Amino acid sequence: MPDLARGPRIAIIGGGIGGLAAGAFLHRAGLTATIYEQAPALTEVGAGLVVAPNAVRLLRRLDVMEQFLGRALQLDWGWEFRRWADGTVLSVEQLSGVCEELYGESTYVMHRADLLDTVKTAVPGEWIRLGSRCTGVDAAPDGALLHFADGSRAEADIVIGADGVHSVIRSAMTEPTPPEYSGICAFRTIVPADVAPEFALRPAQTLWLGPGRHFVHYPIAGGSAVNVVAFAPAGDYTDESWSATATIEEFHSEFAGWDPRVTDLITAGGVPGRWALLDRAPLRQWTQGRITLLGDAAHPMFPFFAQGAAQSIEDAAVLARCLAASVDDPEQALKQYEAARIHRTARLQQVSHSRSDINHLPDGPQQQARDATLAGSDPLVGNGWIYGYDADSVVLP
């Protein structure tokens, strides 16, 4: 059993945004943890992300806003939907001022690596163990035994699996089920500002909708670059790795005939990354004894609501609250955490999944009805259940 005078031995597997956020909120709650990261350095692959008010308010409470604002770019406009062929504006919504009035925080965009570095500043450096690849976990009534690739082992009273979509911890505690093939793949690239069209440097998140595809761009890195991510039919492509690449020609072929502003961005971005979106149904349970999951390990979701990182941060805040409130009963604390989070994250998984069908309608009556709906919609208000959520004040079950 743990020495409760010192607190339980908490092991966090994974040093990505979710794992570091868990460490940061545990530190804020007066608990200690060890973060095991398989890479030799803390880095984030990928490109840009949107940081919505539900995540920003939590980052503010970690006292990292100075670092955050030094790397983030506030969006004045969000969800600017355009027609694929000619850029006709279908819908646009002002964020600046309105977002703050509704939710108390702004919406920002930034590079994933910059968000990782921001959260890292709230974690004691001595908690982080690099080059530690966890290969398995053995559960015990009063904790768990972790196994690492170098043959070493570590005991823990509580294990948090924050090791992503291919989670070793999830595989050890849940029934293994292969992901389903979604038929969608994503291309991504970063375009330096000096070669990007002026149109793409505006502080807006622009989404171009077309048959079977959509194309997204927004500025990042303080406006010094443009993040591009686009979704298209995958064919027989099933590689889920963010390190895989495609050719510019393959990227162009998927968006041939689109507005020249889209194809110009593809050309300016150089060699794109490419990965398949694999579909995973929401888990019915992600806690077992003293082992639990967090972030993509628990609830991987399509990126169409830009909530993956935000949900990891919310998980971390709620988990720390639960553990701090029931430090002498870790199993109960982890059950409470799961109960507080599982329905919200499952709902986000489901709405993110359904968005691909809406975005990719072929031209015709359904597409015209969608565009009319977009013109009269108010996503900032309509998605209040997402952005108004406060992980620090939500009533725990």
Side-chain angles (χ1 to χ4, degrees):
M1 294 294 291
D3 179 353
L4 296 180
R6 295 187 299 112
R9 297 167 297 177
I10 302 173
I12 301 170
I13 309 303
I17 292 169
L20 289 181
F25 280 102
L26 288 168
H27 180 57
R28 186 184 72 149
L31 298 171
T32 59
T34 302
I35 301 172
Y36 297 96
E37 167 54 40
Q38 65 178 346
L42 290 177
T43 58
E44 263 287 355
V45 295
L49 46 70
V50 177
V51 190
N54 53 311
V56 177
R57 67 173 57 94
L58 296 176
L59 295 174
R60 187 176 299 280
R61 291 170 192 159
L62 289 177
D63 197 25
V64 297
M65 287 304 288
E66 181 178 353
Q67 296 90 334
F68 177 79
L69 293 175
R71 303 188 182 197
L73 181 70
Q74 182 178 337
L75 286 181
D76 291 338
W77 301 92
W79 306 289
E80 180 187 67
F81 292 98
R82 289 178 175 260
R83 179 161 167 76
W84 68 279
D86 57 9
T88 298
V89 175
L90 307 175
S91 174
V92 65
E93 182 167 27
Q94 181 178 340
L95 293 183
S96 183
V98 181
C99 198
E100 296 86 346
E101 182 179 350
L102 287 171
Y103 305 120
E105 298 286 359
S106 303
T107 296
Y108 300 86
V109 286
M110 68 191 311
H111 196 288
R112 293 184 68 89
D114 289 338
L115 180 57
L116 184 84
D117 287 345
T118 296
V119 177
K120 184 175 67 174
T121 63
V123 180
E126 64 271 18
W127 286 16
I128 302 171
R129 306 281 179 87
L130 300 174
S132 300
R133 183 167 68 88
C134 182
T135 57
V137 58
D138 297 325
D142 58 353
L145 180 65
L146 297 164
H147 300 269
F148 296 91
D150 62 1
S152 64
R153 301 187 296 178
E155 294 181 346
D157 302 306
I158 297 167
V159 175
I160 301 168
D163 48 343
V165 69
H166 300 295
S167 172
V168 169
I169 305 303
R170 184 185 63 226
S171 297
M173 60 179 289
T174 63
E175 184 77 22
T177 54
E180 295 183 8
Y181 177 56
S182 74
I184 302 171
C185 73
F187 294 87
R188 61 175 172 81
T189 189
I190 294 180
V191 181
D194 59 355
V195 295
E198 190 68 27
F199 168 82
L201 297 174
R202 299 168 306 130
Q205 181 188 10
T206 302
L207 298 89
W208 302 71
L209 306 185
R213 295 157 178 79
H214 76 279
F215 189 98
V216 183
H217 59 81
Y218 48 82
I220 57 171
S224 65
V226 176
N227 181 69
V228 173
V229 59
F231 302 89
D236 58 0
Y237 188 81
T238 58
D239 190 345
E240 200 178 23
S241 171
W242 276 29
S243 62
T245 61
T247 66
I248 296 178
E249 290 73 22
E250 287 173 323
F251 198 175
H252 265 298
S253 69
E254 293 293 347
F255 292 88
W258 283 50
D259 187 291
R261 287 170 287 188
V262 168
T263 53
D264 286 350
L265 273 172
I266 293 174
T267 300
V271 176
R274 185 188 190 191
W275 77 97
L277 298 185
L278 300 187
D279 201 5
R280 292 169 173 85
L283 293 175
R284 296 180 180 178
Q285 175 185 343
W286 68 51
T287 293
Q288 188 177 100
R290 296 187 175 206
I291 304 173
T292 195
L293 303 175
L294 178 149
D296 284 350
H299 42 73
M301 58 187 68
F302 286 179
F304 303 144
F305 271 74
Q307 277 288 307
Q311 292 309 300
S312 295
I313 295 169
E314 287 185 6
D315 284 350
V318 174
L319 177 57
R321 281 182 64 197
C322 292
L323 285 171
S326 301
V327 69
D328 57 343
D329 192 351
E331 292 190 28
Q332 177 59 32
L334 297 187
K335 289 179 182 177
Q336 186 180 41
Y337 153 68
E338 178 190 280
R341 295 292 300 155
I342 197 165
H343 298 296
R344 173 172 170 80
T345 56
R347 183 181 178 187
L348 271 160
Q349 284 178 283
Q350 290 159 352
V351 298
S352 297
H353 182 280
S354 64
R355 190 71 219 183
S356 63
D357 297 329
I358 298 170
N359 285 352
H360 296 175
L361 289 171
D363 284 350
Q366 286 185 305
Q367 162 261 320
Q368 293 166 7
R370 177 203 64 197
D371 294 353
T373 299
L374 284 173
S377 68
D378 189 347
L380 194 58
V381 173
N383 291 321
W385 67 276
I386 301 176
Y387 309 126
Y389 180 95
D390 187 338
D392 268 354
S393 62
V394 64
V395 176
L396 298 175

